[in-house]
Amino acid sequence: MSSTMIIRRYKDDDFEQLAEIYNTAHPDEFYREEGQFSLLPWAEDKHILALLDSSDVYVYEDGAILGFCGYLGRKINWLFVEPNARGKGVAAKLLSYIVPKLPSNAFLFVLKSNVRAIALYEKFGFVAQQEFMIDFQGRNIMLTKMIIKNLSSV
């Protein structure tokens, strides 16, 4: 990481870089789940594309885009970091930037098995509020809803 690091709003020109990060990082969410999953590429996922247009999205840039996050209202929709940039504070810097912008009782959903992400969110004051099972590609997957109640302490 160099001193040229910036966090800025997403621009349409960033689309390809965000798509590449999402497509390479998204499968890693399932690292502790059994079996293989078939995940739609970013550019083919109509739900993701609609969400992108309506969300506040920020990118972490240090020469190239290394990560991004986005939220809509109270819900954090994404936090993805380029796999080669993991462990260098990119996700923490993005969260530090967006959490103060979030309204009270902001929340997110995370796979219960994604203990690395949960540990990061807990450092920012998120707590597990609810767990529930979803059917994802014919398999039962446990999700955790995490909420942050007191943003003034972050």
Side-chain angles (χ1 to χ4, degrees), residues 7 21 35 37 54 71 73-74 79 84 89 92 99 126 136 148 154:
I7 295 176
I21 291 168
F37 294 91
S54 58
Y71 64 94
R74 293 177 32 229
L79 177 59
N84 293 326
V99 165
F126 285 88
F136 185 74
I148 186 167
V154 176

Side-chain angles (χ1 to χ4, degrees), residues 108-112 118 128 130-131 142-146:
L108 55 85
F109 295 101
V110 62
L111 289 171
K112 181 180 180 181
I118 290 170
Q130 175 185 11
E131 292 181 351
M142 187 69 76
L143 284 183
T144 300
K145 179 180 182 181
M146 298 186 80

Side-chain angles (χ1 to χ4, degrees), residues 70-128:
Y71 64 94
L72 178 59
R74 293 177 32 229
K75 182 181 178 220
I76 295 176
N77 299 314
W78 307 290
L79 177 59
F80 287 102
V81 174
E82 205 282 321
N84 293 326
R86 288 195 188 131
K88 298 178 180 171
V90 174
K93 287 180 177 118
L94 282 164
L95 281 173
S96 293
Y97 189 82
I98 69 157
V99 165
K101 298 177 181 311
L102 298 171
S104 294
N105 295 322
F107 67 96
L108 55 85
F109 295 101
V110 62
L111 289 171
K112 181 180 180 181
S113 63
N114 192 347
V115 294
R116 295 182 299 216
I118 290 170
L120 174 67
Y121 297 135
E122 287 174 342
K123 287 179 184 174
F124 283 84
F126 285 88
V127 294

Side-chain angles (χ1 to χ4, degrees), residues 49-60:
L49 295 175
L51 209 50
L52 178 64
D53 287 339
S54 58
S55 296
D56 288 304
V57 180
Y58 293 89
V59 301
Y60 178 104

